[in-house]
């Protein structure tokens, strides 16, 4: 069977796996696959079973990541990793993460069906807890694998279970004690490449009418998940000059950051600001009280490290200005950061060439989102990504990726791998 | 005993009642006396017992308000009402409301101790559910008494119990069927005066160094307790031009209303804007999702009806502008309004004269807050208020009224009543 036909022939398998993970995460109207919980665990089991059915060896590492290996008979170089994640946000969609893991399975299935034996070990990775919603810190599985956990990460607590990250990993069969060293579980120099297919989280491919894109770079981020503003609770009768309104300070801060974003974009420096949590504490909600407390989160993204550092300086300047003007204190609190992830130039070219051979138009785009690929790139692993067309954005119940678009990405991955391999024998 | 001495002699009684309602509402670090619940009910019982110990007759009306009557032996005119409320906000302070009811008891006790028999019936009212926190509608007890409930009010649901207002009133021994007519339970033309002592909810008396003030007017308000903004949930990777961020629309709306406030004040038109509830829905909180939903409350106050109406027009203009610019819908939702409450000129003079006789400095101030007095004024009852010095504002655990300041207000009330009465016989 020609490879292109072999790819198309995997459509039912891919659809079955997409439907399977959707059933596991069903939480109408969306999808919730909780990290280190039943959602992620059951999805791992489904993927492991599918890999084993293809003759892959299933294993896990100290971070409880799933690793499915299709061994080369006579390896000619370090393994090729294809990964993504199986967890979702709360009431998110089905495709953010899971589509990339399933793409790895689909590519292996297609290569096997075409009779192509890999020259290198091919490993499909289901990395744990990519979404920051569970611990206020994202990309955890790849951080564990590559020794990139920030200090204190193992003591963070799961938003739903209250267990620490260490306890959560142990409960899933991982080994948190090994992780305390925070050194790579495997030497990244022994990884030939890390490839990831991921739905696009913006509508640029929908606008462009293209099923997929070759990614140029992932943004790095600076995150403060739990910013707290403290002013003074007061009665609605308090004159303006006496008020220390924490909610309005939050409004000031958010709009100042938005103005910064628009100014930077206008100056040709792409970035993004997202404030997902933005709230007066509900326990003391009153129609007739000025709120002395306010909480918010901040996710700030940019594509190079110097720009991110400059933006962090701007953030501190804005915070100081708002705090002084409103008479409130603003504690940025916990800070996490992820380095920007430029893709490997040779992989950008290689994936573009594979797309051309497959007859797929594939524009090159900056990724709007950060991904596990950032950690591999930061650890020196040659990293490449394909972005798959998706309507309605991500992290919401209305994500909409069409399976033929994912099959196109699988075709490009399989073609690129085939290019590493001897012809079928 | 001279009246001034008789007032001072009531300090232990007043302190006992203040401490008693504090114990009933204890909810560290604050005070919660829930309307139509154990907090308000137990406080009513304590006040009823204190009134009965002074020879007052205890009764309730169809709105479950408590009415304690000290009958004149030979009434020469319509009764004098002294009232306030016993409920508090959640984790509020001890004095907002309760101090005014206790002041009524204290004045009656002082007059009796001074041997002064009233020429009119004196009635102390503990009006139900003044705080808007319980039903998103305030001043409910006086609305019931005076036939001023807005349409649908009896079907509103209690924030804590989920019972409708009708069910809540019935559970406290009231008669919601009588209230459906929404006509006064007593003819307001038969009320000689309504007097209310209330802590000041701003620090103007602290600044002025005066224990009490004679109130000039209470503000009316326009309230939208449950404003909902609907944009679109989206991933943090969504470019700015595609975003419909409901939280930032809320920030825009709140700051535009604050600018309106400052401009009106600068133009000599006093008002206030309070946004107590201001939040992204917690159930879907995510660090990495643009929030498609936002909720907020609005309490807008001003001192005359024409100004309030003009401000409502401004509100609608601002809402339309923000909604169009952000691509969101803004539903103002439920609306409630309270008419501004100007105090009776003769009572302003009378209370000022009484204060002067008591040797109390008593500036004249606009009240920062709305009170049950608004409903009496709006129903044509001659209405007067005393504001009592209070540190740290109101609707928070740190309200701080000193008992001697309340005793000063009790002295003024008693002196004013004594002025209506024949000399002790």
């Amino acid at each position: 069977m020609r490879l292109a036909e072999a790819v198309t022939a995997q459509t039912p398998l891919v659809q079955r796996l997409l439907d399977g993970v959707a059933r596991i995460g069903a939480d109408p109207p969306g999808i919730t696959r909780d990290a280190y919980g039943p959602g992620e665990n059951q999805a791992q089991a489904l993927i492991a079973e599918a890999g084993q059915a293809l003759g892959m060896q299933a294993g896990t590492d100290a971070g409880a990541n799933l690793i499915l290996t299709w061994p080369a008979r006579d390896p000619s170089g370090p393994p090729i990793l294809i990964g993504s994640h199986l967890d979702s946000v709360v009431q998110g969609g089905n495709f953010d993460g899971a589509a990339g893991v399933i793409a790895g399975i689909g590519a292996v299935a297609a290569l096997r069906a075409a009779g192509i034996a890999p020259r290198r070990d091919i490993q499909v990775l289901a990395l744990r807890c990519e979404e920051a919603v569970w611990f206020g810190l994202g990309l955890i599985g790849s951080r564990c694998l590559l020794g990139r956990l920030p200090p204190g990460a193992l003591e963070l607590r799961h938003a739903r279970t209250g267990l620490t990250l260490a306890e959560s990993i142990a409960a899933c069969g991982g080994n948190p004690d090994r992780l305390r060293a925070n050194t790579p579980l495997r030497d990244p120099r022994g990884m030939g490449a890390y490839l990831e297919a991921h739905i696009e989280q913006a509508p640029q491919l929908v606008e462009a009418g293209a099923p997929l894109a070759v990614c140029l770079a992932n943004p790095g981020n600076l995150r403060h998940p739990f910013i707290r503003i403290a002013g003074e609770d007061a009665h609605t009768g308090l004159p303006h000059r006496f008020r220390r309104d924490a909610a309005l300070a939050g409004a000031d801060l958010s709009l100042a950051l938005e103005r910064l974003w628009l100014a930077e974009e206008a100056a040709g420096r792409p970035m993004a600001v997202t404030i997902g949590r933005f709230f007066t504490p509900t326990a003391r909600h009153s129609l007739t009280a000025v709120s002395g407390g306010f909480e918010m989160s901040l996710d700030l993204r940019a594509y190079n490290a110097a720009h991110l550092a400059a933006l962090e300086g701007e953030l501190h300047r804005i915070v100081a200005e708002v705090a002084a003007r409103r008479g409130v204190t603003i504690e940025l609190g916990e800070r996490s950061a992820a380095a920007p992830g430029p893709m490997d130039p040779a992989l950008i070219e290689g994936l573009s060439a594979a797309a051309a051979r497959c007859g797929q138009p594939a524009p090159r785009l900056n990724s709007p989102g950060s991904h596990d690929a950032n950690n591999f790139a930061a650890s020196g692993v040659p990293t490449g990504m394909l972005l798959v067309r998706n309507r309605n954005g991500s992290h919401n119940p209305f994500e909409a990726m069409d399976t033929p678009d994912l099959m196109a990405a699988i075709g490009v991955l399989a073609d690129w791998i085939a290019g590493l391999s001897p012809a079928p024998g």
Side-chain angles (χ1 to χ4, degrees), chain A residues 338-358:
Chain A
M343 298 295 106
D344 179 71
L347 280 172
I348 291 171
E349 294 303 327
L351 290 169
S352 294
R357 286 194 300 272
C358 294

Side-chain angles (χ1 to χ4, degrees), chain A residues 281-346:
Chain A
T282 47
R284 302 201 34 225
H285 267 173
S286 164
L287 175 61
T288 52
V290 176
S291 185
F294 194 72
E295 304 185 22
M296 58 188 278
S297 64
L298 174 64
D299 175 291
L300 197 154
R301 313 196 154 192
Y303 291 90
N304 77 65
H307 190 205
L308 260 184
L311 293 172
E312 186 162 15
E314 279 300 294
L315 169 65
H316 291 161
R317 190 190 59 71
I318 290 168
V319 161
E321 186 279 318
V322 171
R325 182 162 44 79
R326 289 276 178 192
V328 300
T329 59
I330 303 179
E331 288 181 19
L332 288 171
E334 225 170 82
R335 172 192 183 279
S336 75
M343 298 295 106
D344 179 71

